[in-house]
Amino acid sequence: MPPQGDEAAGPVEVGQLEPLEYARKAAITVGEDDPTYLRVVNNFVRVSAIKHTSIGYTVYTDEAISLAIEALGRRRNRDSELSGNLAILFTARYQITRNIKDIENAITNMFQAIRETPGGNLEELSARLSNMANMVAQKYERTGSKHDVKDLVGYAQTAVSKTPEGSRSLSGRLSICSKALLTQYERIGEPDTLEEAITVARRSLDLTRAGKTGLVGKEASNSVKVTPPLTGHPLTGHL
């Protein structure tokens, strides 16, 4: 069980929570009719996700999730950035709780973020698709479902296809796709899938050798990262 109340996991240095405290205060005091309402709540969720991934479970993780759900429920038009950051925070909490509902909620919110991402913003769209592949991979670790592994491959492939030409993220996303295909081959045993995994891996390696590499995408949350799956074929170190 994650620590409750003031029992945050691990030592926290003095001043380490100051930005989080400030973001929380703003989020719990802003009125829902305030034009900055969604932006302020989103900032609390974003900072919570950053802190959670850097120091472990924080005292405000659950509160940030609750405020984000409430904020999204009050808006007819979903906010893609808030949905994406909420998905990342659910994923971070899943890595502590191992509660399957957390990763399922992460997937639901990232799906909504993808749906609401402007079609012309390919870098943001491809980053979210890559994050979604990571989340589905973590769910697949628990379920072993053929449906999940096919979703994993689908999102990984789409992330590659939507990555803008010349993006330094392409090599990493190709690597993710290759590992997803290998996972599918191991689960289903289709020889063509193995050949495709090898081809995609070679393409990733060629780009890496050419020096065309960088962070494997970034969310709208100022590069909040999703931790890779803990077993099997980890998809990436940086989404």
Side-chain angles (χ1 to χ4, degrees), residues 72 78-88 109-110 112-113:
L72 289 169
R78 303 276 289 189
D79 182 88
S80 65
E81 186 172 351
L82 179 53
S83 294
N85 286 333
L86 177 57
I88 290 174
N109 281 279
M110 187 57 74
Q112 190 65 44

Side-chain angles (χ1 to χ4, degrees), residues 35-56:
T36 67
Y37 173 62
L38 282 179
R39 187 172 75 242
V40 170
V41 173
N42 177 62
N43 187 56
F44 179 35
V45 174
R46 181 183 66 84
V47 175
S48 295
I50 292 170
K51 288 298 181 184
H52 196 125
T53 55
S54 63
I55 67 173

Side-chain angles (χ1 to χ4, degrees), residues 95-114:
Q95 289 157 4
I96 300 293
T97 66
R98 310 307 292 175
N99 185 334
I100 192 69
K101 290 188 180 298
D102 279 338
I103 199 64
E104 289 172 347
N105 284 328
I107 290 168
T108 297
N109 281 279
M110 187 57 74
F111 179 77
Q112 190 65 44
I114 290 167

Side-chain angles (χ1 to χ4, degrees), residues 136-188:
V136 174
Q138 294 182 68
K139 184 183 177 206
Y140 171 71
E141 285 190 320
R142 295 288 299 276
T143 66
S145 163
K146 286 184 180 181
H147 175 78
D148 286 339
V149 78
K150 288 185 176 182
D151 279 352
L152 163 59
V153 170
Y155 283 117
Q157 289 176 325
T158 307
V160 168
S161 69
K162 296 295 184 181
T163 299
E165 187 69 26
S167 171
R168 292 176 64 84
S169 299
L170 181 57
S171 174
R173 290 181 187 152
L174 286 164
S175 178
I176 291 171
C177 188
S178 174
K179 291 169 184 176
L181 286 162
L182 181 57
T183 299
Q184 178 172 293
Y185 168 73
E186 291 174 341
R187 177 66 178 85
I188 300 175

Side-chain angles (χ1 to χ4, degrees), residues 2-239:
Q4 302 295 321
D6 295 328
E7 299 174 0
V12 179
E13 296 179 4
V14 174
Q16 196 169 20
L17 287 180
E18 286 181 2
L20 181 55
E21 296 277 3
Y22 180 83
R24 174 183 179 268
K25 183 177 180 180
I28 64 177
T29 57
V30 67
E32 62 178 278
D33 295 328
D34 191 301
T36 67
Y37 173 62
L38 282 179
R39 187 172 75 242
V40 170
V41 173
N42 177 62
N43 187 56
F44 179 35
V45 174
R46 181 183 66 84
V47 175
S48 295
I50 292 170
K51 288 298 181 184
H52 196 125
T53 55
S54 63
I55 67 173
Y57 199 86
T58 78
V59 294
Y60 299 135
T61 296
D62 294 342
E63 185 177 19
I65 287 174
S66 295
L67 281 175
I69 291 171
E70 183 179 359
L72 289 169
R74 288 177 172 174
R75 292 294 186 268
R76 179 176 299 178
N77 296 320
R78 303 276 289 189
D79 182 88
S80 65
E81 186 172 351
L82 179 53
S83 294
N85 286 333
L86 177 57
I88 290 174
L89 190 53
F90 265 124
T91 304
R93 190 170 75 173
Y94 168 73
Q95 289 157 4
I96 300 293
T97 66
R98 310 307 292 175
N99 185 334
I100 192 69
K101 290 188 180 298
D102 279 338
I103 199 64
E104 289 172 347
N105 284 328
I107 290 168
T108 297
N109 281 279
M110 187 57 74
F111 179 77
Q112 190 65 44
I114 290 167
R115 284 186 58 186
E116 298 296 331
T117 303
N121 193 343
L122 291 181
E123 186 57 52
E124 186 172 332
L125 177 60
S126 58
R128 289 177 174 169
L129 287 162
S130 185
N131 277 343
M132 177 68 106
N134 180 288
M135 293 168 187
V136 174
Q138 294 182 68
K139 184 183 177 206
Y140 171 71
E141 285 190 320
R142 295 288 299 276
T143 66
S145 163
K146 286 184 180 181
H147 175 78
D148 286 339
V149 78
K150 288 185 176 182
D151 279 352
L152 163 59
V153 170
Y155 283 117
Q157 289 176 325
T158 307
V160 168
S161 69
K162 296 295 184 181
T163 299
E165 187 69 26
S167 171
R168 292 176 64 84
S169 299
L170 181 57
S171 174
R173 290 181 187 152
L174 286 164
S175 178
I176 291 171
C177 188
S178 174
K179 291 169 184 176
L181 286 162
L182 181 57
T183 299
Q184 178 172 293
Y185 168 73
E186 291 174 341
R187 177 66 178 85
I188 300 175
E190 297 171 342
D192 289 348
T193 304
L194 179 59
E195 291 300 319
E196 186 178 359
I198 294 170
T199 299
V200 173
R202 285 173 175 163
R203 186 180 170 198
S204 174
L205 182 59
D206 287 345
L207 288 174
T208 300
R209 286 172 173 168
K212 298 178 180 180
T213 61
L215 286 178
V216 186
K218 68 176 184 177
E219 251 291 335
S221 54
N222 296 338
S223 298
V224 173
K225 300 166 188 173
V226 176
T227 304
L230 301 177
T231 61
H233 303 289
L235 296 187
T236 177
H238 303 282
L239 281 184

